[in-house]
Structure formats: C-alpha cells, structure tokens
DNA sequence: TGTACATCAGTGAACGCGCGTTCACTGATGTAC
DNA sequence: TGTACATCAGTGAACGCGCGTTCACTGATGTAC
C-alpha cells in the first residue's frame, strides 16, 4: 500500500473535480464537457480518467455532491429558525430570489431532475437514494398523522417546490419570476407550515 | 407569388418536423440532433434549413407544439369530467402512470423546463407565453377569491405538479414512482379540487 | 395543347468544432538499501 | 544520509464520432408563351 502521492492529495483532486462538476452540471446541464470542466480547474482532460471510470460516474458523484450542498444550506436555514418554524424557513430559503439566481449552487432536483430521468440506471438510483434521504430529513419537521404520512408529504412538498423553482427560472420576465416565487412562498407556507 | 410546390405541401413538411421534434425533445432533451431528427422522417439533414433558420428556431416551435399537444389532452380530460370536477380530472390525468410513462407525448414543463432555463431569450419568451396561456386556461376551473388569485393558484398548481411528475420519472424504483404519483394525486386533489 | 424555362424542396458532401475515451510520455515524489 | 529505482498523477496528441450549418446539385413541378 505504498504510494508516491499521498492518498489525501489524490482524493483532494477528485473532490475538486466533483465540486466543480456539481456546480457546472447544475448551471449548464450534464452535457458540460470533461474538457471544459478540467480546463476550469487548470488541468487537462487526460487526467480525468485517473479519478473516474467514465463521465457517467462523475455525473453520479456530482449529483450526490449537489444534494450534500443543498442539505448544508437547508440545515443553515433551519438553524436560524425558531423551533416549530423550520418549514417556514425552508420555504423562504428554497423559493427565495437568491436561490432562484444561484442555479449552480442550488437544488439539484430543480436543475437536474428532468435530465436524470434520461440518465442510465446507476445515476437514477443515486438520485433516488439522495431524494429519499432529503425527504427523511424534511419529514421530521412536517406535520402529518404518522411518520409515513410526514414522509410522503415531504416528498410532495419538495418535488412541488422544485417544479415551481424550475418554472420561475424558465420564464423570461423578471417581474413574473418574482411573482411566481412570492405566490409559491405564500402557498407552501399556507399549506405546509401551518401547525 | 407563384410556386412549384404548393404552400400547403411545404407547410405540411414543416409541421411534420415540428411534431417529430416536439416528441423527441420531450423524450430525449433538446440536445437531439437535427441529423437523427430528419432521418426519423426519412429525410436528410440538409433540407432542414429550407424550413428553419436555426436549430434554436425549431426548439422554440417544438416547445409551443408540446404545449398545444398538452392542451388537447387536458381539454379531453376535462371534457370527460362532470361539471365542477374539472380540476380532479386534470390531476388524475396529469399524475397518472400513463402520462408519467408518456414522456414524449406529455407535458413539456415536466420534461423541458429545466433545459428551457438554459436556452436563449426567444425560447424562454415562448415558454413564458405558453405557460401563461396554460395558466389562464386552468385558472377558470380553479377556486379562489378573484380572477387574479385563481390565475396565481393555477401557476403554482401546474408548476408543482410538473415537479412531482419530473421527480417520479427520475427515480429508479417503479413502486416508489407509483407511490409518488398516488400521493401527489391525493395531495393536489385535497388542496386544489375541494369546492 | 406542347414546349421552354424558372423555381426551389430536398440531397448529400463538406466545413470546423467539441465530445468521451485511450495511451505513450514525463517528472515529481515515495520507498529500499 | 545519499543514491537508485518504482510508482503513478497529470500531460497532450490522437481516435472515431456526431454536432450545426453551408452549399452546389438535382429533378419534379409550376408558369409563360
């Protein structure tokens, strides 16, 4: 198990690639090329295959990284909220203009779900696991009769908000975009954040 | 204004291209090539530019065709519903397993919104106009205090369902997919279809 | 009506380009002695 | 400690391929006379 470069050094590069990919795929779609991606890290495309067996492997890893990134931001939003107001905080963050503008650093469901549906099985499986885990996290703050209902409501809540965010991003008029986000915040708060 | 081929004949070919593109873009994304597309119509790629100035023009036209297609299916679903039950019918159709499986013939919001957000302005403007028009159609069956509230609720309703459908399509497990659709139908019916 | 000509939808070769992937290489660093 | 050798992360040329777009062409059909 000897090696010239420390394992940490190699892992560090791998993580840099994944983090860059997580941003660029969310921003421009998973069709972003490996060439451009490596170039943005001041490396050449050839080195990529020392870290990943194929581009599809990177898509999978970057997708999971996007979910991890989102989880951190969600936790932060929740952390600043008074107890019992966690769902309000999630909504205000998720449907904020800031999140809407930050496609590359935002929710991977809202930027990549439609593309994931066209990806091979391993990517869809990774998406599913991440989605289920995110649902479980949100479910604990959800109202509902039992754990199972909370969980199901959490899935509808998140997938619904992701659709509203995706549509807000797709329209061309900034005023309409703001109106969609605002109406969305009102609706989801009314429907999911009432005690 | 004389011409060798009748204007109808040319327009007919143009429509065939648009219809094929509307299906293929929804199914496989707007990155589907002009070569494959024309080949599927037993034509060669060169002829494409007798009908469109650029691929982007076709993306725009195909997107509008997708909305038109969806509108027809929505009207059909509504037509079969008893008066006052139109929203129930829309939900049962939109979140059906049939619609979920029929990506190519289904709602362009659920299959293309995330990609549209990355397209140039003309495409986003076309999306916006189509979305507004669809909202207006659904709004007349929506409950709400005034026309403006109905309209806004219709936008949230549609964008939310599109997100739920996109997520259902992205997950890998068929049982989970069915559960998401079913929970979605229950939730949207409870929330939007109550008198 | 019959013939000459004009039009242009559709063909297919060609363009420059970027894609994912492979591979012989280089050179910095780790290990062995 | 100093030197010889092994490892392998990263380089950059090359591969076959498909992309969007252009363009000289063909040949069926419409119009003019």
């Amino acid at each position: 198990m000897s090696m010239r470069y420390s394992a940490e050094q190699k892992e560090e590069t791998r993580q840099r690639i994944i983090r860059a990919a997580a941003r660029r795929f969310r921003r421009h779609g998973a069709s972003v090329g490996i060439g451009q991606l490596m170039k943005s890290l001041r490396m050449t495309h050839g080195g990529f295959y020392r870290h990943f067996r194929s581009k599809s492997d990177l898509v999978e890893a970057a997708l999971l990284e996007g979910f991890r990134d989102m989880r951190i931001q969600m936790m932060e939003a929740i952390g600043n909220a008074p107890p019992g107001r966690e769902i309000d905080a999630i909504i205000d963050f998720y449907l904020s203009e800031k999140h809407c503008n930050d496609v590359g650093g935002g929710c991977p469901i809202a930027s990549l779900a439609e593309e994931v549906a066209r990806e091979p099985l391993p990517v869809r499986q990774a998406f599913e696991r991440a989605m289920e885990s995110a649902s479980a996290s949100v479910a604990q703050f959800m109202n509902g009769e039992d754990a199972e209902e909370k969980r199901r409501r959490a899935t509808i809540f998140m997938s619904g908000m992701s659709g509203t965010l995706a549509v807000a991003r797709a329209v061309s008029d900034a005023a309409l975009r703001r109106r969609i986000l605002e109406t969305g915040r009102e609706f989801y708060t009314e429907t999911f954040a009432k005690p």
Side-chain angles (χ1 to χ4, degrees), chain A:
Chain A
M1 283 281 280
S2 63
M3 44 195 67
R4 295 118 297 92
Y5 294 109
S6 64
E8 297 90 49
Q9 210 168 147
K10 185 176 180 188
E11 184 58 22
E12 159 71 32
T13 302
R14 189 186 143 90
Q15 289 304 323
R16 285 207 308 140
I17 297 171
I18 293 173
R19 278 195 300 271
R23 285 199 69 84
R24 293 175 93 85
F25 289 168
R26 280 179 283 178
R27 184 102 186 80
H28 305 289
S31 60
V32 167
I34 284 164
Q36 314 173 30
L37 180 70
M38 295 301 278
K39 201 171 184 182
S40 80
L41 295 169
R42 291 162 197 278
M43 289 175 68
T44 53
H45 57 276
F48 176 81
Y49 293 90
R50 297 281 163 192
H51 299 283
F52 302 93
R53 253 187 303 172
S54 68
K55 187 185 173 181
S56 197
D57 274 19
L58 174 64
V59 171
E60 189 181 320
L63 188 63
L64 293 177
E65 172 64 21
F67 271 96
R68 233 172 281 130
D69 186 1
M70 189 46 19
R71 184 187 170 79
I72 290 168
Q73 294 177 67
M74 289 261 219
M75 303 259 280
E76 206 175 288
I78 289 171
N80 294 331
R85 287 267 165 239
E86 292 86 358
I87 295 291
D88 304 68
I90 291 174
I91 294 165
D92 285 348
F93 159 69
Y94 198 97
L95 295 177
S96 67
E97 286 178 47
K98 182 163 177 282
H99 185 199
C100 188
N101 292 331
D102 185 23
V103 183
C107 178
I109 310 170
S111 51
L112 292 170
E114 297 169 3
E115 249 176 300
V116 167
R118 300 175 189 120
E119 291 283 337
L121 190 59
V123 176
R124 304 216 323 279
Q125 282 172 333
F127 177 88
E128 178 174 319
R129 268 181 277 116
M131 182 78 205
E132 288 281 82
S133 154
S135 280
S137 294
V138 171
Q140 60 186 310
F141 303 113
M142 210 82 222
N143 48 30
E145 297 212 339
D146 53 24
E148 181 52 30
E149 200 200 328
K150 287 175 191 215
R151 181 67 170 274
R152 285 197 293 217
R153 277 173 64 81
T155 304
I156 297 306
F157 170 66
M158 286 197 306
S159 63
M161 285 204 303
S162 79
T164 301
L165 184 58
V167 166
R169 283 168 174 168
V171 300
S172 59
D173 183 65
L176 176 58
R177 176 157 45 247
R178 279 194 295 272
R179 210 179 322 137
I180 292 171
L181 291 171
E182 198 196 327
T183 311
R185 289 194 300 270
E186 281 170 22
F187 169 77
Y188 284 101
T189 303
E190 182 69 33
T191 309
F192 288 94
K194 282 291 159 67

